[in-house]
Amino acid sequence: MKYLLPIVCLINSICYGQFYFNITADVADKAEVYGPIIYDLSDSSFVIHGNAVGDHRPFLLKINNSGDSIDSVLIENNNAGYTYNAGYKSIEKHVTSNIVNGFIQHSGGSSIAYAVKLDEFGDTLWTYQSDSLGNADGFSAVRITQDTNYVFTGPKESSSNGAQDFWLVKLDTNGNMLWQKNYGGGDTDYALNVDTTIDGGFIVAGYTQSYGAGNSDIYIVKTDVDGNFQWHKWFGQSSYDSGFVKSLQDGHFIIYGAYSYENPATPGEIATHAIVMELDENGDQVWFNEYSEYNLQDSYYYTHDEGFNSMAILSDGYLFSGGTDDSLDGTRLGWAVKTDFNGNQLWSRTYRKRSSANYFQDVTSIPGGDLVFSGFVWPENGSQTSDGWLVRTNCLGFDGPPLAAGTWHNAALNEVILENDSERFGDGIIYWGDGDSTLFTEFDDTLIGHVYASAGNYDISLIVNACSESDTVVINADASVTGLANPQDLKFAIFPNPAKDEVRIRYDINDLSELSYLKMYDLSGKLIYQEVITDQHNELVLRLDEYDKGVYLVNIITENGDNLTKKLVVH
């Protein structure tokens, strides 16, 4: 069966209402890899290009707003002994048709470039493939040109310039070649994606082993409208680096991908981390940023790999997606990072569907601000295959609605400390029940204190927001006078906070007439550490190797009940 009739949206809230999904999908009942995704505004659906592993057929899958499959199309090719692999940026929508491309690869290693144009019903209009089955050629990406033809890029085997060159091919709307050009040096130059530029030309990105200082560097080639070379640039570290490109409306370019970094203390220990840079119209760098889920001091920094392979331009910044390694088990996670237009990070999220490896391949933003990611997940056990993976989130990257939750604790002098346990929110407000309120964001301290004018019971309203959704919980707290009678007699500080490997707790107790204790609790109230304080002024160094990541409460208390509590965050 081919594509079904479009879904008709009668009310905007139906089309753009909040949906979430984190699903796997299976088209060909085989191990599958899902690549690029596009949004079809005509019926508010998504079209994903992929291929069945070990099969010679590419496919298109169409799903609706809520993640339900509408239809799928398996595309035949007649090259016996060759398997199909989708390109990195290998689908474009042209009016009612779809253009897909990739590699048709022989088990011996040779490959040919392949492209197919389908109509709105999934029927093949034309197929293009390169001539030489013995070469190592392929299409990685496709874009619609300003004159409504198609430009493809990828690697092409070179007989003169090196193993492979950047390859740019322009086809007309009927699949006829208009021209083709090669770019590169004396070694391998591998093109990953292409974009059009404001002057009608093209910008191509990938990696080079012909230029630069490393094993491979990010390589950028700019051409005019006819594919004539204008300039090239390369960027990188000492090992393997690669990148993609997005053209901006002001003539500048965003380059994103990964740099490799070698541990200076352990030569040969190398890990990749995500990078983004902006180039001007001449290819000169405007700004550069690196992104990581790890600090440079983390032991995982040089053992866990990260990188970006897709981006979307939003109304208030950029969204990058790719992958990072989980710090606990080392498995691959889907990863998304939102930045402003200068590359400053606004938020970072990770995603998982299975306990095995989870890969994002593409991301798109849709009307209303939601984000949709496509990729694939590896099997968890022998009864599974790799399957396509699709995630839909709200505009803040959360794959579920905001959830308000909190617990309260008594503190000194009619003070209540609210532990904000809320999930999936961007900002919120606390109404303390006495006319006062406190604003907060997801990045603020989760322990928020408030001092009441008098003791009593108060209804505290905790409201959290995410995009167009909100959630509220009402917490009844008893603000009785308890705890420290002379807070000036007891002081302590925790640093660094957040902490990872160890934390220092420095305390100052003016009166040690009573026996004092330093205690640490998890958020369930379980006592996990205790030490008797024998000195008025001291600094305790506490190793954190045995503690899980999370929030803990550190408390100093005397026998007569005087106490002070502070929060410790363990990363």
Side-chain angles (χ1 to χ4, degrees):
M1 184 174 68
K2 303 297 184 180
Y3 286 160
L4 301 181
L5 293 175
I7 299 171
V8 178
C9 294
L10 301 178
I11 306 173
N12 280 344
S13 62
I14 296 177
C15 295
Y16 302 153
Q18 190 60 65
F19 295 92
Y20 299 98
F21 50 76
N22 186 338
I23 58 173
T24 57
D26 191 344
V27 171
D29 196 27
K30 294 175 180 285
E32 296 173 355
V33 173
Y34 284 18
I37 184 169
I38 58 174
Y39 181 66
D40 190 341
L41 187 61
S42 67
D43 60 358
S44 302
S45 65
F46 307 95
V47 180
I48 304 97
H49 178 212
N51 59 272
V53 177
D55 197 289
H56 67 282
R57 294 176 298 175
F59 61 77
L60 292 181
L61 171 67
K62 192 170 188 177
I63 64 172
N64 63 16
N65 251 328
S66 58
D68 299 319
S69 174
I70 298 175
D71 210 347
S72 61
V73 175
L74 286 166
I75 305 168
E76 299 291 343
N77 78 72
N78 299 314
N79 297 281
Y82 283 74
T83 60
Y84 179 85
N85 292 289
Y88 290 95
K89 309 293 176 186
S90 54
I91 184 170
E92 277 275 61
K93 186 170 183 62
H94 190 180
V95 193
T96 59
S97 60
N98 291 299
I99 312 296
V100 301
N101 65 264
F103 298 69
I104 298 177
Q105 189 165 10
H106 193 270
S107 58
S110 61
S111 61
I112 59 174
Y114 179 85
V116 60
K117 184 174 181 178
L118 307 172
D119 66 18
E120 60 186 309
F121 304 107
D123 294 315
T124 298
L125 298 175
W126 53 257
T127 298
Y128 169 88
Q129 65 182 46
S130 55
D131 297 328
S132 301
L133 287 175
N135 290 341
D137 303 340
F139 285 154
S140 299
V142 59
R143 288 291 285 165
I144 298 174
T145 62
Q146 292 186 8
D147 59 0
T148 66
N149 290 305
Y150 314 117
V151 65
F152 299 82
T153 196
K156 182 171 180 59
E157 185 172 310
S158 174
S159 59
S160 58
N161 287 340
Q164 287 176 305
D165 283 345
F166 272 29
W167 187 27
L168 204 58
V169 177
K170 187 173 182 181
L171 305 182
D172 67 18
T173 55
N174 295 312
N176 301 307
M177 180 181 286
L178 300 176
W179 50 256
Q180 61 174 324
K181 299 290 177 69
N182 292 40
Y183 320 91
D187 209 323
T188 295
D189 304 292
Y190 198 104
L192 296 175
N193 84 313
V194 61
D195 205 354
T196 57
T197 59
I198 62 170
D199 61 1
F202 306 101
I203 188 86
V204 188
Y207 62 85
T208 178
Q209 295 179 334
S210 300
Y211 308 101
N215 293 308
S216 66
D217 278 7
I218 294 176
Y219 189 41
I220 309 297
V221 173
K222 172 70 173 67
T223 79
D224 66 14
V225 66
D226 296 314
N228 298 310
F229 175 88
Q230 292 181 308
W231 52 258
H232 63 177
K233 300 281 184 176
W234 52 90
F235 310 89
Q237 297 287 322
S238 61
S239 192
Y240 294 95
D241 314 307
S242 62
F244 302 83
V245 63
K246 189 80 167 179
S247 183
L248 303 179
Q249 293 182 350
D250 63 357
H252 288 200
F253 311 102
I254 297 296
I255 310 300
Y256 57 97
Y259 272 8
S260 56
Y261 296 86
E262 184 172 13
N263 190 344
T266 310
E269 187 176 65
I270 299 172
T272 60
H273 297 288
I275 62 94
V276 177
M277 70 183 86
E278 180 177 340
L279 306 183
D280 66 17
E281 62 276 8
N282 299 312
D284 296 322
Q285 193 174 105
V286 178
W287 53 258
F288 173 93
N289 277 324
E290 178 198 330
Y291 307 86
S292 178
E293 288 291 276
Y294 307 100
N295 296 319
L296 184 61
Q297 294 76 22
D298 288 343
S299 58
Y300 299 115
Y301 187 84
Y302 293 107
T303 60
H304 286 51
D305 292 320
E306 303 168 296
F308 295 146
N309 57 18
S310 184
M311 75 168 288
I313 300 177
L314 310 178
S315 62
D316 57 350
Y318 305 125
L319 181 77
F320 300 94
S321 74
T324 183
D325 289 345
D326 186 88
S327 62
L328 297 179
D329 59 20
T331 57
R332 198 65 166 176
L333 303 176
W335 186 29
V337 173
K338 170 78 177 292
T339 75
D340 64 18
F341 289 121
N342 294 312
N344 300 306
Q345 182 172 311
L346 301 177
W347 52 255
S348 174
R349 319 275 186 229
T350 58
Y351 306 85
R352 180 194 289 274
K353 181 61 180 177
R354 290 179 177 171
S355 60
S356 54
N358 305 258
Y359 290 88
F360 276 166
Q361 296 288 86
D362 200 11
V363 62
T364 187
S365 174
I366 66 174
D370 283 9
L371 310 172
V372 182
F373 303 86
S374 64
F376 59 96
V377 290
W378 287 125
E380 292 176 308
N381 52 59
S383 64
Q384 291 179 328
T385 62
S386 61
D387 286 315
W389 182 33
L390 301 166
V391 178
R392 178 170 179 172
T393 75
N394 60 21
C395 69
L396 291 175
F398 295 120
D399 57 0
L403 175 65
T407 54
W408 65 275
H409 309 275
N410 276 127
L413 302 175
N414 300 338
E415 182 181 7
V416 165
I417 295 178
L418 182 66
E419 177 74 27
N420 185 7
D421 302 317
S422 302
E423 300 176 13
R424 302 185 299 267
F425 68 92
D427 57 44
I429 188 170
I430 300 170
Y431 294 102
W432 295 102
D434 62 352
D436 288 346
S437 61
T438 301
L439 296 170
F440 61 89
T441 74
E442 62 172 301
F443 306 109
D444 289 335
D445 198 323
T446 57
L447 288 179
I448 305 171
H450 181 70
V451 178
Y452 291 92
S454 60
N457 285 292
Y458 295 88
D459 286 330
I460 302 172
S461 295
L462 172 62
I463 303 172
V464 290
N465 311 303
C467 306
S468 60
E469 295 184 296
S470 298
D471 191 37
T472 303
V473 64
V474 178
I475 303 165
N476 182 260
D478 181 7
S480 299
V481 180
T482 61
L484 191 63
N486 297 293
Q488 69 274 10
D489 290 337
L490 174 58
K491 300 175 183 177
F492 77 97
I494 301 174
F495 61 96
N497 194 8
K500 181 174 179 58
D501 298 318
E502 67 178 26
V503 65
R504 296 175 181 271
I505 303 172
R506 182 176 297 164
Y507 57 84
D508 185 354
I509 303 174
N510 291 334
D511 182 7
L512 268 182
S513 59
E514 301 288 343
L515 193 61
S516 300
Y517 300 90
L518 188 148
K519 300 182 179 183
M520 189 161 76
Y521 301 86
D522 63 20
L523 290 182
S524 70
K526 180 182 178 181
L527 178 65
I528 59 174
Y529 179 84
Q530 177 174 289
E531 181 166 319
V532 176
I533 294 176
T534 58
D535 298 317
Q536 286 183 293
H537 316 284
N538 206 346
E539 181 177 290
L540 170 70
V541 178
L542 181 63
R543 293 293 304 175
L544 300 174
D545 309 84
E546 301 178 358
Y547 300 108
D548 295 332
K549 293 191 296 184
V551 178
Y552 298 86
L553 298 177
V554 179
N555 172 251
I556 292 181
I557 186 170
T558 66
E559 277 191 332
N560 66 5
D562 294 344
N563 73 87
L564 191 60
T565 300
K566 293 191 176 183
K567 181 190 73 169
L568 167 64
V569 178
V570 177
H571 278 177

